[in-house]
Amino acid sequence: MGGAAKLSLQIERLVEVVESRRTETSMANTVSQGTSIVEVMKDVATLPGTECGSKLWWFATKLFCTQEKIEMLDPDLKLQFLNHELAKG
């Protein structure tokens, strides 16, 4: 294989890697949309027993100060997740 052909293959591989990373970044941004701390806390305040100012609400304000914890939040198990995390202390 000649030098020009090798260079062409390497360039194609670089383009594939860049496109792959761009797709991964786009997917990650899509997943994180709608998961800001403010949005999560508005949602938390609608759960039974988590009204603004309640013990569970204050706990959630501390818990969801990090994106990592927000990403762990299962939309269908919000209240159970909060109670579980609170019990772990």
Side-chain angles (χ1 to χ4, degrees), residues 11 13-17 21 23 29-30 33 38 40 46 54 60 63 67 72-74 79 82 84-86:
I11 290 172
R13 288 180 61 205
L14 283 171
V15 168
E16 288 173 4
V17 168
R21 287 187 180 166
T23 300
N29 288 340
T30 301
Q33 288 177 352
V38 172
V40 168
T46 66
S54 69
L63 182 68
Q67 189 65 31
M72 289 178 55
L73 187 63
D74 182 328
L79 187 56
L82 282 172
H84 174 75
E85 291 295 305
L86 179 62

Side-chain angles (χ1 to χ4, degrees), residues 37-52:
I37 293 169
V38 172
E39 290 169 336
V40 168
M41 287 310 299
K42 282 181 183 176
D43 200 26
V44 164
T46 66
L47 299 172
T50 59
E51 293 77 20
C52 186

Side-chain angles (χ1 to χ4, degrees), residues 22-82:
R22 190 175 300 149
T23 300
E24 289 172 9
T25 301
S26 176
M27 288 173 63
N29 288 340
T30 301
V31 170
S32 343
Q33 288 177 352
T35 57
S36 74
I37 293 169
V38 172
E39 290 169 336
V40 168
M41 287 310 299
K42 282 181 183 176
D43 200 26
V44 164
T46 66
L47 299 172
T50 59
E51 293 77 20
C52 186
S54 69
K55 180 180 178 179
L56 200 52
W57 182 85
W58 282 111
F59 175 76
T61 63
K62 292 179 190 173
L63 182 68
F64 296 129
C65 283
T66 64
Q67 189 65 31
E68 178 183 289
K69 288 291 186 177
I70 290 173
E71 289 171 0
M72 289 178 55
L73 187 63
D74 182 328
D76 297 325
L77 301 172
K78 291 175 189 164
L79 187 56
Q80 293 89 335
F81 177 76
L82 282 172

